[in-house]
Amino acid sequence: MDRLQAMQVFTRVVDSNSFTRAADSLGLPRATVTTAVQSLENLLHVRLLNRTTRRISLTPDGAAYYERCARILADIEETEASFREVSRGPKGRLRIDVPAPVGRLFLIPRLCEFHTRYPDIELVIGMGDRPVDLVRESVDCVIRVGELQDSTLVARRIGTMETVTCAAPDYLERHGAPGTLDDLQDHRAVHYFSSRTGRVIDLDFVVDDKVVEVKVPGKVSVNDADAYVACGLQGFGVIQPPRFMVHAHLQSGALREVLPQWQPSPMPISVVYLQNRHLSPKVRAFVDWAAELFSRCPILGRCDGHSTECSFVGTQDGHTLQALMDQPEMAVQP
């Protein structure tokens, strides 16, 4: 058995968590699968798997080798796919990761459109607020909000996320509406902290074309966007969520905008992928579709944050909304 085939056998054993199931799925004798893994261990001079009568598990070396094997095999599959049956369009498994609010409220409601256009692409969607390592976690591309730091990645700007400063009416009745940024020292804020660093992200405002951060006292801290909005709705303090997340709440009066004369700084939205992914047809298909999707919704484009061109429909609690994309396209800054 050659080394590439042995790598395929090893990854199948790990994925199926069983030598027997791996052998069945590959159409090989179990003894052949066992021998292939043992040969790899002898070649590498490390133990890849811990084996007991009931279960198998990766050793630290095995976990590192599995990640490399998965990436190598994926690269080979993508290279072959890019030259094979081109007329049928992009195909294969595509792993993406997006911020949970963007995925739940914006991307997921439009998946049928993507599937209709690219029926041979299988999407695997991760949603969360933590940053993912595209190489270690075998993710093909991600949608990220904010300035990008990793220069080894390729990024395409597809929109801008506008945020809004707001609070619940009962909170404002108890504390009054702030009239200046200095007034915020007498108020409370719901704190959002980074899942990666644990640092609280302060409120910020654009004043005379400069971003000013304001520390506001608070009694509740969360690291989830939905929980952040929920705490604001319950009157725990001032919040600065993405405008698209609270659009329905602002329309219904469940939240009220404060300090509109000082808008929070907008954040760029980018679709990001590895440099060696730029030739993959399935990655290119998703990147182009995401850019088109975002360009059709002005509330996620560069606008004044009060555009009525992109309307929303929500449940009574406002947690489910769907953008109606029949409006004229709005240019998104590159």
Side-chain angles (χ1 to χ4, degrees), residues 110 296-298 309-311 322-329:
R110 292 288 152 185
R296 298 205 308 257
C297 187
E309 293 180 291
C310 188
S311 54
Q322 180 175 352
L324 303 179
M325 303 296 187
D326 341 345
Q327 307 299 334
E329 289 193 6

Side-chain angles (χ1 to χ4, degrees), residues 247-278:
H247 185 89
H249 297 309
L250 292 170
Q251 287 191 325
S252 69
L255 289 172
R256 295 179 186 170
E257 184 173 4
V258 297
L259 301 171
Q261 63 273 44
W262 293 292
Q263 290 293 310
S265 59
M267 295 179 288
I269 306 172
S270 306
V271 59
V272 183
Y273 49 98
L274 295 168
Q275 290 182 357
N276 66 340
R277 289 292 180 273
H278 69 284

Side-chain angles (χ1 to χ4, degrees), residues 193-262:
F193 65 92
S194 167
S195 300
R196 181 172 58 87
T197 65
R199 186 180 72 85
V200 170
I201 300 173
D202 295 322
L203 302 185
D204 70 61
F205 303 86
V206 177
V207 180
D208 296 330
D209 296 325
K210 295 182 179 180
V211 177
V212 176
E213 293 186 347
V214 179
K215 294 183 181 293
V216 182
K219 295 186 177 181
V220 178
S221 299
V222 298
N223 66 342
D224 175 82
D226 289 325
Y228 183 66
V229 172
C231 288
L233 287 167
Q234 294 181 47
F236 280 101
V238 178
I239 58 175
Q240 274 189 347
R243 185 176 287 274
F244 79 92
M245 284 191 68
V246 294
H247 185 89
H249 297 309
L250 292 170
Q251 287 191 325
S252 69
L255 289 172
R256 295 179 186 170
E257 184 173 4
V258 297
L259 301 171
Q261 63 273 44
W262 293 292

